[in-house]
Amino acid sequence: MLEILVCEDVGITKNLYQNCGIDYNENSLAIRAMNGDECLGFALFLIEGEKETVFAVEPKEDIMLADGLLRSALHVGTERGITDAFYYGSNYEDLYAKIDFIESSEENRLKLQNLFSDCCHCNKE
């Protein structure tokens, strides 16, 4: 059974950040899609105050899984009081655009309101 949960193991979370070349700090979080002991994908993000920054969503080629991971990461943020969500860099911008989660590419702002819409706009091409 597939479960998408916040990774509570700091060592695993640090390793995911390190493998992606992203700095880790005490506010860094990871969501993992787990099928038993097998990790099928993850999202790396940071929550600071009312702001969330998403660094990575893997595998970005699996649009449905990536959509679920991004939604889960943003949901964790909203549950913790975030009101603004952003993405870092351009590595995942194509993915976010494909699933219609970009509110402003100039600000790297993600659409939080999409948490309440149908999943994965990837079929609307």
Side-chain angles (χ1 to χ4, degrees), residues 87-119:
Y87 60 94
Y88 179 81
S90 61
N91 289 345
Y92 299 88
E93 197 167 49
D94 289 344
L95 166 66
Y96 304 145
K98 187 168 188 163
I99 59 177
D100 195 31
F101 258 93
I102 295 180
E103 184 172 316
S104 168
S105 59
E106 292 80 25
E107 296 179 278
N108 288 10
R109 183 181 294 272
L110 294 168
K111 291 181 188 177
L112 285 177
Q113 66 269 25
N114 274 16
L115 288 175
F116 309 104
S117 68
D118 287 337
C119 159

Side-chain angles (χ1 to χ4, degrees), residues 8-75:
E8 301 293 341
D9 186 315
V10 173
I12 291 172
T13 301
K14 283 183 180 179
N15 192 43
L16 289 170
Y17 274 79
Q18 182 179 33
N19 289 343
C20 290
I22 302 167
D23 291 335
Y24 174 88
N25 71 42
E26 66 277 354
N27 296 315
S28 299
L29 296 164
I31 290 275
R32 297 190 303 156
M34 301 296 294
N35 185 12
D37 291 334
E38 180 185 8
C39 180
L40 302 177
F42 60 88
L44 305 178
F45 58 102
L46 177 74
I47 296 175
E48 291 181 308
E50 295 179 352
K51 176 183 168 187
E52 179 172 353
T53 303
V54 179
F55 296 107
V57 179
E58 291 291 343
K60 64 182 174 182
E61 299 80 22
D62 185 336
I63 301 300
M64 296 297 282
L65 181 57
D67 183 90
L69 287 163
L70 179 60
R71 286 173 186 271
S72 295
L74 294 175
H75 178 75

